[in-house]
Amino acid sequence: MPKSKPTANPEPIVGQPFRDDDPLFTVIVTDYEPSVPRAYFRRKMASLAAQTCDDFEVLVYHDGPKSRTYEEDLDGGPLHPATQFFVTPSRAGDWGHTSRDLGIRAARGRWIIHTNADNVFYPNLIAVLKATLADPQPWAFAYPPKRYPFGVKGLAKWLDKRWETKLMAPSVVESSDPQILVYAIVMRGNVALMNSQTRVREVAERQGVVFGGVPVKYGATDAMQLVMQRGLWLAEGGWHERAIDSDALLYQGFARKYRVLAVPVVLGEHW
C-alpha cells in the first residue's frame, strides 16, 4: 500500500486551559468494541490502575455506539480514579484518529500519551517518564548537519573521512527541556524475517520484538511510543491526519522540529 502524503501544517486548535493542578500526563485510550476483546480492554485498564505513579488522567474514547456499558465491560475490575469514558454518537471508522483528536482537545495533562485499548502499560511507565522529566541534568540533542550544494557535499564527506574533519557531523546542543519522549515497547506478534521483521498475530502470546522507537520515522515508531507536550499538539492542530498510517506521518514530522529524548526502557506492549 503506498504511503500517504502529509498535509500542510493546520491551524492551531483550542484545548483545555493550562492550570496549576493539571496532571503531568493524559493517557488517551482509543477503543472499538468489535475489534478489541473485552478481556484485553480490562487488561488495559488494569495496567493503568496498577501504575506506581498516579500523576495522570485517563480519557477513554469509543468510536461509535456501544452494545454494553463500560461498567459492564469492567465487571468490577480495577480502575484508575481519574478516568473518564466517552462514547461518540456515530462511528468515524478512521482507525481511532478522530478519537485521538478529541482526546487532545479535552486533555489536561502537560504531556499526552496515546494508546489503543488492547495495549499494555508496565506498572512503572508513568513513574519512569516522570523521573526522566524531573532529572535536572542537561540532555544532549543532535540536529542534522549543515546542508551543502551538490558536489560540495561529496567533498565534505571525503574530507571528514580522509582528514577526520567534522564538516558533516551533526550539531549537538544541551538542554534540560525535551519536547518529545520516546520509550521502548515489545511488539507482540512480531517475528524476525531475514534482516527485518513481520507481524504474525497468532504468535503474539508467546513471541515479540523489542521496538526502541528511534529513529522516529515510518515503520519504526508505534503510536503508543511517542509522548509529546500538549502545547505542541495544540499548536500542530491536534491529530489532523486521518490516513491509516497517520501516526507515522505525524511523528516523523514532529521529530524534525522538536527535541526528542529516547528513554531506553521497555515500558509496555503493543498487541
Side-chain angles (χ1 to χ4, degrees):
M1 181 175 64
K3 298 178 182 179
S4 304
K5 295 181 179 179
T7 59
N9 280 355
E11 292 296 320
I13 63 171
V14 177
Q16 294 297 313
F18 286 89
R19 306 186 326 199
D20 291 340
D21 62 343
D22 285 342
L24 187 58
F25 299 99
T26 292
V27 178
I28 300 172
V29 181
T30 54
D31 185 26
Y32 183 52
E33 193 177 58
S35 298
V36 180
R38 295 300 85 182
Y40 282 17
F41 172 73
R42 285 190 291 272
R43 180 185 66 184
K44 173 64 180 185
M45 301 311 293
S47 78
L48 292 171
Q51 291 297 304
T52 59
C53 173
D54 64 358
D55 198 358
F56 68 102
E57 64 172 352
V58 181
L59 306 180
V60 180
Y61 285 85
H62 187 275
D63 185 15
K66 286 176 91 293
S67 63
R68 294 165 25 117
T69 66
Y70 271 119
E71 288 78 6
E72 291 174 303
D73 286 345
L74 290 168
D75 193 26
L79 183 67
H80 180 64
T83 300
Q84 299 180 66
F85 296 95
F86 304 89
V87 179
T88 60
S90 59
R91 174 161 162 74
D94 58 2
W95 303 280
H97 303 326
T98 292
S99 294
R100 295 182 180 101
D101 189 60
L102 291 171
I104 292 168
R105 296 164 189 264
R108 290 184 52 231
R110 298 282 171 160
W111 294 74
I112 290 178
I113 306 172
H114 292 282
T115 182
N116 295 336
D118 56 353
N119 296 156
V120 173
F121 282 4
Y122 292 166
N124 62 336
L125 184 145
I126 298 295
V128 169
L129 296 182
K130 182 174 182 176
T132 299
L133 293 172
D135 193 333
Q137 70 170 312
W139 299 93
F141 300 93
Y143 292 87
K146 296 178 181 178
R147 299 175 67 91
Y148 294 100
F150 181 77
V152 177
K153 182 177 180 180
L155 176 61
K157 286 183 176 180
W158 181 85
L159 289 171
D160 283 354
K161 184 177 181 180
R162 180 67 177 81
W163 300 106
E164 298 185 354
T165 58
K166 296 184 178 180
L167 299 174
M168 292 297 295
S171 58
V172 176
V173 300
E174 289 196 349
S175 170
S176 57
D177 181 30
Q179 295 166 302
I180 292 173
L181 302 179
V182 176
Y183 63 90
I185 62 172
V186 176
M187 291 291 289
R188 285 289 179 181
N190 279 29
V191 300
L193 175 65
M194 300 175 67
N195 64 341
S196 183
Q197 56 186 293
T198 189
R199 189 151 178 78
V200 184
R201 292 183 182 274
E202 55 266 32
V203 303
E205 292 284 349
R206 54 190 171 87
Q207 196 163 345
V209 172
V210 174
F211 243 45
V214 177
V216 180
K217 68 174 186 179
Y218 196 100
T221 311
D222 185 72
M224 71 182 289
Q225 290 182 271
L226 185 137
V227 182
M228 189 163 77
Q229 295 176 6
R230 171 161 56 108
L232 296 181
W233 270 114
L234 297 174
E236 290 287 341
W239 198 290
H240 57 272
E241 282 284 346
R242 293 296 187 269
I244 187 173
D245 51 2
S246 68
D247 55 335
L249 297 173
L250 291 172
Y251 288 1
Q252 65 187 11
F254 297 159
R256 295 189 185 105
K257 298 171 63 175
Y258 304 122
R259 292 183 297 277
V260 178
L261 177 61
V263 181
V265 185
V266 177
L267 296 177
E269 298 180 3
H270 176 280
W271 284 74

